[in-house]
Amino acid sequence: MEQTYDLHSHSTASDGELSPEALVLRAKDNGVSHLALTDHDTISGLAEAQITADKVDLTLINGIEFSCSWNKKTFHIVSLNIDPSNAKLLTGIESLQSIRTERAKKISQKLEKKQIMGAYESILAASATTMITRSHFADFLLKNNYVTTQQGAFDTYLGQGKPAFVNTEWASLEDTLHCIKAAGGVAVLAHPMRYKMTASWMRRFLTAFKAEGGLGMEIITGRNNPDEVRRALHFAKQFDLYGSVGSDFHSPKNKWVELGRLAPLPINIQPIWQLFH
Ligand code: AMP
Ligand code: MN
Ligand code: MN
Ligand code: MN
């Protein structure tokens, strides 16, 4: 049977719109055979996703998308095939939970200076998760008519350099990769072309990533053009990384990004899923 991989997706356990159950069902409907649920800094959706995956005969890959800091820049590391019961992983997640909670409170305080009151409390009360992201704030601002689009919330309040932006020190790259390896996972650099780095910074980052045991890079993501695919492929081959494919699906409302609707991985790179079997 043909296999269709989608190795990057979000549920209500972080900033996705669908419950883990609904996400798995949608993936199945779209013909995905192997789905990784990779919520931001949490594994709390995996158990529910696994129950549904078993029912519909879909292979669930236990994942998480870690936020980490390297040279004062934020990177997202998708971690695949982790053991969700690993103690080191759970400690790392606990630490990210407190970073996110503190940050969310600070974002809320900054919004209050702009006369936008009670964002954090309101978000927490309305969410199925405690792992609060800027997407939650964007939704809050949209719902309460402070902005007219999600993007507008980032452009006006939440983006870098905007009034409610909070500079955040996540876990280090070293600690993040340590944690992933301890949990038996495979580390993949998420959406490499979204960091807007120069080629020389990208090479410095990838040198560090490789040195700490990073193994893969997303080549095909939800919204990338052929030029971005070509550039990512070039870096991946230069650093001898495996290639991954993931939509980064968050919501059915985004008509441009759909589970399992992805270009095939170019044939001249080894697929990351070779490492799973
Ligand atoms: P955080 O990790 O809390 O900084 O939140 C990052 C999340 O916000 C990303 O995973 C996206 O889902 C979303 N996001 C970041 N930048 C934008 C943007 N410019 N427009 C819409 N969503 C964004
Ligand atoms: Mn997100
Ligand atoms: Mn990301
Ligand atoms: Mn993501």
Side-chain angles (χ1 to χ4, degrees):
M1 203 187 82
E2 200 186 319
Q3 297 187 330
T4 303
Y5 289 81
D6 189 334
L7 302 180
H8 187 159
S9 68
H10 296 273
S11 74
T12 48
S14 67
D15 59 351
E17 190 177 307
L18 302 181
S19 66
E21 179 182 26
L23 183 84
V24 170
L25 294 176
R26 189 179 184 94
K28 181 71 186 179
D29 277 351
N30 286 356
V32 174
S33 60
H34 294 69
L35 175 75
L37 175 57
T38 55
D39 276 306
H40 295 286
D41 306 318
T42 182
I43 55 168
S44 69
L46 294 180
E48 180 185 321
Q50 187 65 63
I51 290 170
T52 313
D54 289 344
K55 280 189 197 147
V56 299
D57 193 26
L58 173 146
T59 304
L60 181 76
I61 289 147
N62 286 324
I64 180 169
E65 182 176 12
F66 274 122
S67 314
C68 79
S69 291
W70 178 81
N71 267 283
K72 305 216 182 296
K73 302 179 208 302
T74 298
F75 293 86
H76 286 178
I77 310 292
V78 158
S79 319
L80 303 172
N81 239 5
I82 45 160
D83 166 9
S85 67
N86 178 267
K88 210 165 152 51
L89 178 78
L90 297 174
T91 310
I93 289 172
E94 226 172 88
S95 152
L96 285 159
Q97 174 70 75
S98 54
I99 292 172
R100 277 204 179 268
T101 299
E102 285 312 301
R103 173 187 189 244
K105 287 179 185 166
K106 283 189 197 156
I107 293 174
S108 203
Q109 283 162 9
K110 289 193 164 195
L111 288 173
E112 300 210 337
K113 293 204 174 121
K114 296 283 162 197
Q115 309 307 319
I116 298 171
M117 313 310 281
Y120 177 66
E121 291 72 18
S122 169
I123 289 166
L124 212 52
S127 297
T129 183
T130 52
M131 218 41 110
I132 306 303
T133 70
R134 283 185 295 163
S135 304
H136 293 95
F137 282 93
D139 290 343
F140 169 87
L141 292 167
L142 187 58
K143 205 174 63 195
N144 292 284
N145 301 314
Y146 292 105
V147 292
T148 52
T149 60
Q150 253 242 352
Q151 185 57 46
F154 283 88
D155 294 345
T156 313
Y157 295 105
L158 304 168
Q160 186 153 13
K162 303 300 172 192
F165 181 76
V166 172
N167 224 337
T168 308
E169 177 92 28
W170 306 102
S172 69
L173 178 67
E174 186 186 1
D175 287 354
T176 303
L177 288 209
H178 239 103
C179 182
I180 295 168
K181 285 182 288 179
V186 166
V188 174
L189 177 63
H191 41 66
M193 294 302 127
R194 220 185 287 166
Y195 307 106
K196 308 281 176 225
M197 281 195 296
T198 61
S200 75
W201 270 105
M202 182 61 106
R203 284 193 293 269
R204 279 158 89 172
F205 173 80
L206 290 175
T207 302
F209 180 68
K210 273 288 274 196
E212 300 296 346
L215 287 174
M217 181 191 281
E218 286 182 351
I219 305 295
I220 305 293
T221 76
R223 273 194 96 169
N224 50 18
N225 58 43
D227 185 55
E228 287 172 329
V229 173
R230 191 182 55 73
R231 276 156 49 217
L233 189 61
H234 175 78
F235 285 117
K237 294 197 70 82
Q238 190 177 353
F239 284 84
D240 202 18
L241 295 165
Y242 290 83
S244 189
V245 172
S247 62
D248 202 3
F249 177 88
H250 282 75
S251 162
K253 289 196 193 103
N254 182 346
K255 300 288 177 237
W256 307 102
V257 175
E258 183 52 86
L259 288 164
R261 300 273 186 273
L262 290 154
L265 188 66
I267 52 168
N268 56 342
I269 185 160
Q270 301 292 324
I272 194 89
W273 49 87
Q274 278 187 355
L275 302 174
F276 301 165
H277 307 299

